[in-house]
């Protein structure tokens, strides 16, 4: 009887051990599955943040300023390029599309996480998108040159363009602060801006030189070397 009772106790103990083992294994599987999903989601967010930053830098931060440079320096003076307008529109529309996609990814990142709020970055992003949308829509409503509204439309278009570029650059730096490897991203974009600024400065100097050469004969003809306007 003692042997039978001992065997029964051993059997019950083994069954309990097996049950505990299976429960522990199930818990481990569940934990691993949850951990895997968490890691996968975190990995996906990391790629989304990288795509968000790259698209915004290229769209808002590079193509839009290039479009402004083309409109200012290739339109009529100092360099007259007949295809300046299609090139200008290509940069602006391409920049708007890429920037809008990046902006949409940023909204998704903000809505999918309670910790990813970044209110200042979010508000600036909304302003950039809103102003850029107005800029694109009004570009298709450009009046003819002989129209009295043409001058006011051009003032509005230029002012809005410079505003969008300024807000875009400020918001890009605001977003870079919260990126991993922020210093690397910051100096990379600073180098890009420095290159664009150098190009714009060189064209601006060339513009003033050409303007002075064109106005100098008129000033001497009027016996007034200071009459450069």
């Amino acid at each position: 009887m003692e042997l039978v009772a001992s065997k029964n106790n051993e059997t019950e103990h083994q069954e309990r051990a097996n049950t505990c083992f299976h429960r522990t294994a199930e818990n481990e599987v569940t934990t691993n599955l949850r951990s895997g999903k968490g890691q996968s989601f975190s990995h996906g967010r990391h790629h989304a943040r990288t795509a968000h930053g790259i698209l915004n830098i290229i769209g808002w931060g590079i193509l839009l300023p290039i479009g402004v440079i083309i409109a200012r320096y290739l339109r009529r003076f100092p360099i007259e390029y007949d295809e300046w307008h299609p090139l200008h529109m290509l940069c602006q529309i391409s920049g708007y599309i890429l920037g809008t996609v990046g902006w949409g990814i940023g909204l998704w990142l903000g809505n999918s996480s309670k910790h990813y709020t970044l209110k200042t970055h979010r508000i600036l992003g909304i302003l950039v998108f809103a102003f850029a949308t107005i800029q694109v829509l009004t570009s298709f409503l450009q009046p003819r040159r002989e129209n009295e509204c043409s001058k006011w439309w051009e003032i509005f278009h230029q002012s809005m363009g410079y505003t969008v570029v300024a807000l875009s650059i400020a918001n890009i730096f605001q977003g870079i602060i919260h990126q991993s490897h922020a210093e690397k991203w910051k100096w990379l974009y600073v180098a890009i801006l420095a290159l664009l600024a150098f190009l714009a400065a060189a064209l601006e100097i060339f513009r003033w030189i050409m303007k002075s050469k064109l106005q100098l004969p008129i000033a001497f003809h009027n016996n007034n070397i200071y009459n450069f306007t």
Side-chain angles (χ1 to χ4, degrees), residues 1-202:
M1 291 292 293
E2 292 179 358
L3 290 173
V4 173
S6 177
K7 287 182 179 179
N8 289 336
N9 290 334
E10 289 179 1
T11 303
E12 289 178 2
H13 180 73
Q14 187 174 1
E15 286 178 355
R16 289 178 181 176
N18 290 337
T19 302
C20 292
F21 174 76
H22 287 303
R23 286 178 181 174
T24 305
E26 287 175 0
N27 290 335
E28 286 179 357
V29 170
T30 303
T31 303
N32 289 336
L33 286 174
R34 288 177 180 174
S35 177
K37 288 180 180 178
Q39 290 176 0
S40 176
F41 182 71
S42 177
H43 195 62
R45 283 181 58 84
H46 175 73
H47 283 297
R49 290 178 66 180
T50 302
H52 166 71
I54 291 173
L55 288 172
N56 283 337
I57 287 175
I58 295 175
W60 303 129
I62 296 177
L63 289 176
L64 291 191
I66 289 176
V68 171
I69 291 172
I70 290 171
R72 179 167 177 80
Y73 300 110
L74 300 185
R75 184 177 181 180
R76 285 189 300 269
F77 189 83
I79 302 170
E80 187 173 356
Y81 180 61
D82 294 335
E83 299 298 323
W84 75 269
H85 190 262
L87 191 59
H88 169 71
M89 291 299 294
L90 177 64
C91 288
Q92 302 300 85
I93 298 298
S94 300
Y96 177 77
I97 292 172
L98 292 177
T100 300
V101 174
W103 176 71
I105 295 174
L107 287 181
W108 174 81
L109 288 169
N111 294 330
S112 63
S113 174
K114 295 179 181 179
H115 303 288
Y116 194 83
T117 52
L118 308 181
K119 291 183 179 180
T120 303
H121 185 54
R122 189 184 184 94
I123 292 171
L124 286 175
I126 292 172
L127 289 176
V128 168
F129 174 74
F131 289 165
T133 301
I134 294 172
Q135 181 78 336
V136 170
L137 292 177
T138 56
S139 65
F140 294 104
L141 302 174
Q142 182 178 4
R144 295 181 179 274
R145 288 184 180 180
E146 57 271 15
N147 193 314
E148 294 181 358
C149 298
S150 178
K151 179 181 179 181
W152 297 108
W153 179 91
E154 189 167 343
I155 293 173
F156 171 81
H157 187 71
Q158 290 181 358
S159 301
M160 184 65 75
Y162 290 132
T163 301
V164 170
V165 169
L167 287 175
S168 298
I169 293 173
N171 199 33
I172 286 170
F173 280 112
Q174 184 68 28
I176 286 175
I177 295 173
H178 305 283
Q179 280 282 356
S180 57
H181 307 292
E183 284 295 315
K184 182 178 71 175
W185 282 99
K186 183 181 76 172
W187 289 112
L188 176 62
Y189 188 54
V190 166
I192 293 171
L193 285 182
L195 182 62
L196 292 175
F198 176 79
L199 177 62

